[in-house]
Amino acid sequence: MIPAAFDYVAPASVEDALAALAEHGDDAKIIAGGQSLLPVLRMRLNAPEMIIDLGRIESLRGVRDDGDAIVIGAMTPHAVVGSDPLVAEHASLITKAVEHLADAQIRHRGTFGGALAHADPAGDLGAPALVLGAEFVIQGAGGTRRVAADDFFVDLFETAIGEDEILTEVRIPKHTGWGAHYEKFVRVAHQWPIVAVAATVRVDGGAIAEARVGLTNMGSTPLRARGVEEALVGQPATEDAVRAAAARSTEGTNPPSDLNGDADYRRHLATVVTRRAVLAAAGG
Ligand SMILES: Cc1cc2nc3c(=O)[nH]c(=O)nc-3n(C[C@H](O)[C@H](O)[C@H](O)COP(=O)(O)OP(=O)(O)OC[C@H]3O[C@@H](n4cnc5c(N)ncnc54)[C@H](O)[C@@H]3O)c2cc1C
């Protein structure tokens, strides 16, 4: 289908984009890579009168080192994030997640910030951002604020970004030297995950010293598998120990039922995919 008619602006600065948002209020919508918004417009699930394109704002692109964190600009395309050496060195969980996100065309158009702002519960970046303790930098007319990942994902397709605000960058605390793996369960290549698990672990002297595990598509937002994390600490990274810990991956989850599988199937998958993700992250 063809979207309803809309006006279009492409401001050159965040300030101008914020001014356009303030002027048009509920009638405006931001567009980043358009990979999620355009299908929504074409299906006429939304019909904004004004589209504000962030594509000309150079300050929103790129990856930089900022001491204890790496900072990813909201408009940085997935393909750039996925091949960035800083990301690979200090947050390799993100590199692994981007590798299997959609197909090459979408990875070249879609943006890191757009995917996180869209907050699809099946999106591949939410769980990695959550487990790495990302901070979201959000700018509005009143200034800039930082929101912790724990508070960023509010509900299905809902984040802490206000209607008059823009996500400008995402700060990822460095996890240099941690093992990481993103295990995505799909029926066919390039599909959204039925269930996926983001795992990053620090192994010390043959045992798991620290573990962070997150679940994709096991609720209306990405979830931390805190029971699994607790159970892993102090354990050797053996098949048996990890299998026992992974049994706790369904705690606190509320998976959907759809044509790809019902909630019970997803609960079963979560235990299997968690075991695979943790063992791979630990180098097993
Ligand atoms: C066929 C297909 C398959 C896909 N498969 C996957 C997959 O397997 N895994 C996966 O994770 N994703 C997948 N995607 C989605 C892809 O990752 C998109 O790139 C992403 O969801 C949206 O990013 P975007 O830059 O295109 O944002 P847009 O589509 O431009 O925007 C998405 C939403 O976020 C808002 N927004 C965007 N940027 C900002 C900002 N800086 N501040 C505030 N609000 C903002 C927009 O207003 C809009 O509501 C797929 C998409 C398609 C079309």
Side-chain angles (χ1 to χ4, degrees):
M1 269 169 67
I2 296 176
F6 53 78
D7 286 327
Y8 171 89
V9 285
S13 70
V14 174
E15 288 70 24
D16 288 351
L18 286 171
L21 262 185
E23 186 186 339
H24 297 280
D26 285 354
D27 296 331
K29 198 83 187 139
I30 283 173
I31 192 164
Q35 298 304 293
S36 294
L37 184 62
L38 283 176
V40 166
L41 300 188
R42 290 169 73 100
M43 287 186 277
R44 302 218 176 185
L45 298 172
N46 198 333
E49 289 171 13
M50 169 60 77
I51 295 284
I52 303 167
D53 187 347
L54 302 183
R56 286 183 56 213
I57 309 179
E58 279 308 314
S59 63
L60 295 180
R61 288 180 198 275
V63 179
R64 67 174 202 276
D65 192 321
D66 191 24
D68 292 341
I70 55 164
V71 183
I72 304 177
M75 286 296 291
T76 313
H78 301 309
V80 173
V81 174
S83 61
D84 187 275
L86 276 177
V87 179
E89 184 179 357
H90 303 296
S92 59
L93 183 54
I94 302 277
T95 311
K96 303 245 163 107
V98 170
E99 217 171 284
H100 300 289
L101 187 158
D103 57 38
Q105 282 172 308
I106 291 163
R107 289 198 294 275
H108 276 83
R109 297 294 308 178
T111 66
F112 192 70
L116 289 163
H118 190 57
D120 190 315
D124 286 305
L125 298 179
L130 189 65
V131 301
L132 291 172
E135 264 191 327
F136 294 79
V137 182
I138 298 171
Q139 195 169 330
T144 297
R145 61 194 179 101
R146 288 187 188 184
V147 176
D150 284 338
D151 302 320
F152 181 78
F153 300 102
V154 176
D155 205 345
L156 206 69
F157 300 108
E158 191 185 339
T159 69
I161 307 170
E163 288 196 349
D164 53 353
E165 293 181 313
I166 291 174
L167 175 66
T168 56
E169 56 191 28
V170 183
R171 301 177 59 85
I172 316 262
K174 287 181 179 171
H175 283 68
T176 322
W178 287 50
H181 188 75
Y182 188 73
E183 181 80 17
K184 178 166 168 172
F185 191 89
V186 289
R187 280 190 301 117
V188 290
H190 308 312
Q191 207 186 25
W192 292 85
I194 299 174
V195 168
V197 175
T200 188
V201 298
R202 189 171 63 77
V203 178
D204 192 7
I208 296 176
E210 289 180 86
R212 288 169 162 254
V213 180
L215 308 171
T216 303
N217 218 8
M218 286 295 289
S220 60
T221 64
L223 299 171
R224 278 283 284 279
R226 293 193 189 269
V228 178
E229 295 175 359
E230 263 173 43
L232 285 172
V233 172
Q235 298 296 320
T238 59
E239 175 94 22
D240 284 349
V242 174
R243 183 190 299 275
R248 295 185 61 183
S249 58
T250 56
E251 290 174 9
T253 61
N254 184 19
S257 290
D258 56 29
L259 288 177
N260 283 316
D262 64 15
D264 280 343
Y265 176 61
R266 281 193 164 84
R267 286 190 196 95
H268 167 71
L269 272 184
T271 63
V272 175
V273 178
T274 298
R275 171 171 51 81
R276 290 180 187 166
V278 172
L279 281 171

